[in-house]
């Protein structure tokens, strides 16, 4: 008798397939995928307006939210700008780093497991 690990057959059942059914105790564990913090780092050269534009374009923030987060990074050295699955976080980091490189700004964006 074929059984999914999600079925909890704790005593023999009569399914007429001729084999001997045994009690199963395994339980499928459904783990939530890990989340990753995407962080922006301060530097002395990237223009504030560029950072605000990055936060609007790639992180869906409105101008006021983007300005506030930019100022937090500027004052504290870094800030978490979003939390995503591994694949989405990598995409955000790549988008920011590509934009920074295109504009020749030293802006750094990194990701870290939460
Ligand atoms: N410190 C930069 C400046 O004074 C502004 C800045 C903010 C740069 C946030 C990077 O992630 C950053 N022009």
């Amino acid at each position: 008798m074929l059984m999914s690990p999600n079925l909890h057959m704790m005593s023999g059942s009569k399914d007429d397939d001729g084999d001997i059914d045994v009690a199963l105790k395994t339980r499928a564990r459904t783990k939530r995928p890990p989340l990753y913090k995407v962080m922006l780092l301060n530097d002395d050269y990237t223009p504030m307006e560029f950072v605000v534009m990055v936060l609007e374009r790639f992180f869906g923030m409105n101008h006021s939210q983007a300005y506030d987060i930019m100022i937090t990074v500027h004052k504290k050295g870094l800030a978490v700008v979003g939390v995503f699955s591994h694949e989405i976080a990598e995409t955000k980091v790549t988008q920011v780093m590509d934009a920074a490189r295109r504009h020749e700004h030293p802006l750094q964006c990194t990701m870290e497991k939460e």
Side-chain angles (χ1 to χ4, degrees), residues 29-109:
R29 298 309 254 106
T30 55
K31 280 200 341 199
R32 282 171 293 105
L35 292 174
Y36 292 79
K37 299 181 287 190
V38 171
M39 287 158 315
L40 224 46
L41 277 58
N42 188 39
D43 66 74
D44 292 339
Y45 304 104
T46 304
M48 290 184 170
E49 316 82 70
F50 182 79
V51 178
V52 171
M53 178 280 290
V54 157
L55 291 169
E56 290 171 342
R57 179 175 299 177
F58 301 128
F59 296 91
M61 296 181 192
N62 66 38
H63 195 78
S64 169
Q65 294 169 326
Y67 186 83
D68 288 352
I69 298 288
M70 181 281 293
I71 287 295
T72 299
V73 177
H74 177 69
K75 287 181 177 167
K76 305 217 172 198
L78 85 178
V80 174
V81 298
V83 177
F84 308 97
S85 69
H86 189 271
E87 187 172 0
I88 300 293
E90 267 191 340
T91 300
K92 303 287 182 192
V93 170
T94 299
Q95 286 173 327
V96 174
M97 295 304 285
D98 284 355
R101 191 174 312 111
R102 279 200 309 276
H103 291 83
E104 301 185 302
H105 295 318
L107 180 63
Q108 294 293 310
C109 182

Side-chain angles (χ1 to χ4, degrees), residues 6-20:
N6 280 317
L7 296 174
H8 293 221
M9 187 188 65
M10 293 302 293
S11 62
S13 73
K14 306 179 182 88
D15 60 0
D16 285 347
D17 62 3
D19 62 8
I20 299 169

Side-chain angles (χ1 to χ4, degrees), residues 3-8 24-28:
M3 287 185 64
S4 141
N6 280 317
L7 296 174
H8 293 221
L24 299 178
K25 264 190 171 176
T26 57
R27 186 159 60 96

